[in-house]
Amino acid sequence: MTTPSAPAQQTSGRPPAAAYRNLVVATIGFALTFWAWNLIAPLAGVFGSDLKLSSFAQSFLVAVPVLVGSLGRIPVGALTDRYGARLLFPLISALTIIPVLLVIPARHSFAAMLAVGFLLGLGGTTFAIGIPLVNSWFPPAHRGLALGVFGMGMGGVALSGYFTPRMAKHGENLPFLVVAVALAVYAVLAAVLITDHPDRKIPTTSLGKRLGAAGKLRVTWELSALYAIGFGGIVAFGVYLPTYLKTWYELSPTEAGTKAAGFALVTVIFRPVGGWLSDRIHPATVTTWALAVVALFAIVQAFDPALNPMGTICFLLMAAGLGTASGSVFALVSQVTPQPQVGSVTGIVGAMGGLGGFVPPLVMGGIYSAKNSYSIGFMLLSDLALAGCVYAYGRMRSAKAE
């Protein structure tokens, strides 16, 4: 077993300059790899038309990277505990270039696109690298906000939603070439600028034992459930909202991508808000109120209001709630997880959050194919958010590190 590192033992004090450098570089890398992870979703309508895909097949295509990226966080988080972010961040960023470029020859075959989507999931694993890195550099008094700032890297989904379809208008392969170059440049910079904390304790047990120990913690699965609702909702909307807006409100792919990018931007802005509030209020309380907002406005959207203004208001307020909840849940992770296991627990929690984003697009696509309506899907979201709201308030306010 390892012992808690120095940062975990600090309760106050200003973080060193290196902490802020690592935070900035990790956040940029998170954003770039998330852009790569979400490259297919903004163009799903185009791929769907070219390949003559059904609504469910199109949903499955955009969901595959989410599934792989989510499950991949489990081993990547544990590997980060062992080898550190200095190795893992540039390595994963560089490897993600391969599937980004493979989209170009694969775009004319559904089977090939599924295979490439599987590999693109690699870009979604960097979340499990950045969380333990940031957690190790910042003392508890500053950790909630720092983790929230790192979480802003999920704005890569917004970048993808806004820029990818616009780039594609100037050349169908341009988005993939631009992202590949950006990842290559970042991988070099990350190898130079990212540093692990000098007092980082390296676990001596095997990967399997560390994951098993993390899996035995009750809080791992409680946090996983809450994160599956908060972050899972963000991922689900990120990959399926363009399709929903195009199908239900008959927007063009560019208009749908722009509005989806706006949704993602709001989640990005409110994630550090959730972390900041959690430094001042118990993160479980913040999570409770954030999910209550999501539950309320999911019910309103289930009645299919006009997009302007009520539908837009509903989506923006749900985005604010989901973003806040995502920030507060990971502030809670840092409070209730033993420091040496943060990477492993982060991997599992992050995986469950991503899986929370894998299922809804399939459900929404299936419901629309069967019922020609999305209302049931929004009611299910409301039910889940309400359940998370009740559990966060009733149980997680008293949770402690085991």
Side-chain angles (χ1 to χ4, degrees):
M1 290 294 293
T2 58
T3 57
S5 61
Q9 297 165 352
Q10 299 169 355
T11 57
S12 62
R14 187 177 182 83
Y20 294 101
R21 185 191 70 242
N22 280 284
L23 175 60
V24 170
V25 177
T27 303
I28 293 171
F30 184 24
L32 282 176
T33 52
F34 253 46
W35 184 343
W37 189 39
N38 193 53
L39 270 173
I40 292 178
L43 300 175
V46 176
F47 294 140
S49 299
D50 291 347
L51 299 174
K52 298 179 173 57
L53 303 180
S54 67
S55 178
F56 180 81
Q58 188 171 312
S59 300
F60 189 71
L61 178 62
V62 301
V64 165
V66 177
L67 173 64
V68 178
S70 303
L71 293 177
R73 291 173 190 172
I74 298 176
V76 169
L79 287 170
T80 301
D81 280 342
R82 178 66 178 86
Y83 296 105
R86 184 175 186 178
L87 171 65
L88 269 295
F89 231 129
L91 177 62
I92 295 297
S93 300
L95 290 176
T96 304
I97 296 171
I98 298 172
V100 167
L101 292 177
L102 285 176
V103 176
I104 297 173
R107 62 182 301 150
H108 302 296
S109 165
F110 180 58
M113 283 295 292
L114 287 178
V116 171
F118 183 91
L119 297 175
L120 269 177
L122 189 64
T125 64
T126 55
F127 179 79
I129 304 173
I131 290 290
L133 174 68
V134 174
N135 193 75
S136 69
W137 276 106
F138 285 84
H142 300 272
R143 197 171 287 158
L145 179 58
L147 292 172
V149 170
F150 170 73
M152 292 179 73
M154 67 186 184
V157 173
L159 293 174
S160 183
Y162 185 83
F163 287 110
T164 298
R166 284 167 170 75
M167 288 182 185
K169 286 185 175 181
H170 298 282
E172 63 179 18
N173 297 328
L174 184 60
F176 314 109
L177 296 174
V178 169
V179 172
V181 171
L183 286 170
V185 172
Y186 174 77
V188 174
L189 292 176
V192 174
L193 296 176
I194 287 181
T195 54
D196 295 309
H197 195 280
D199 294 327
R200 184 178 75 89
K201 300 300 181 181
I202 301 175
T204 56
T205 54
S206 68
L207 175 66
K209 287 184 178 179
R210 279 182 282 126
L211 288 176
K216 291 177 181 178
L217 296 175
R218 173 177 173 175
V219 293
T220 298
W221 302 107
E222 292 172 323
L223 293 165
S224 293
L226 291 174
Y227 201 60
I229 300 170
F231 184 71
I234 293 173
V235 173
F237 277 117
V239 300
Y240 197 73
L241 190 55
T243 300
Y244 168 76
L245 293 172
K246 182 175 179 292
T247 302
W248 190 253
Y249 290 107
E250 299 180 343
L251 301 184
S252 69
T254 301
E255 290 175 323
T258 300
K259 289 188 179 296
F263 178 96
L265 180 61
V266 173
T267 65
V268 168
I269 293 171
F270 275 86
R271 181 152 185 158
V273 171
W276 178 80
L277 287 172
S278 296
D279 286 336
R280 290 151 179 80
I281 309 169
H282 197 290
T285 302
V286 179
T287 303
T288 297
W289 286 105
L291 292 180
V293 170
V294 176
L296 174 61
F297 287 96
I299 293 174
V300 176
Q301 186 60 33
F303 288 92
D304 298 321
L307 184 58
N308 294 314
M310 185 51 67
T312 299
I313 292 172
C314 286
F315 281 119
L316 292 180
L317 289 174
M318 282 191 288
L322 292 169
T324 301
S326 296
S328 61
V329 169
F330 260 94
L332 193 57
V333 169
S334 68
Q335 286 192 12
V336 301
T337 303
Q339 176 69 17
Q341 294 176 286
V342 168
S344 299
V345 172
T346 294
I348 296 173
V349 174
M352 296 304 105
L355 287 176
F358 171 75
V359 176
L362 298 180
V363 172
M364 294 293 272
I367 289 173
Y368 183 76
S369 296
K371 301 292 186 179
N372 200 36
S373 170
Y374 289 106
S375 296
I376 296 174
F378 283 105
M379 291 304 296
L380 289 173
L381 171 60
S382 176
D383 292 342
L384 285 173
L386 185 59
C389 171
V390 172
Y391 196 84
Y393 187 81
R395 152 67 184 164
M396 298 310 294
R397 288 184 304 155
S398 60
K400 303 291 183 182
E402 298 178 24

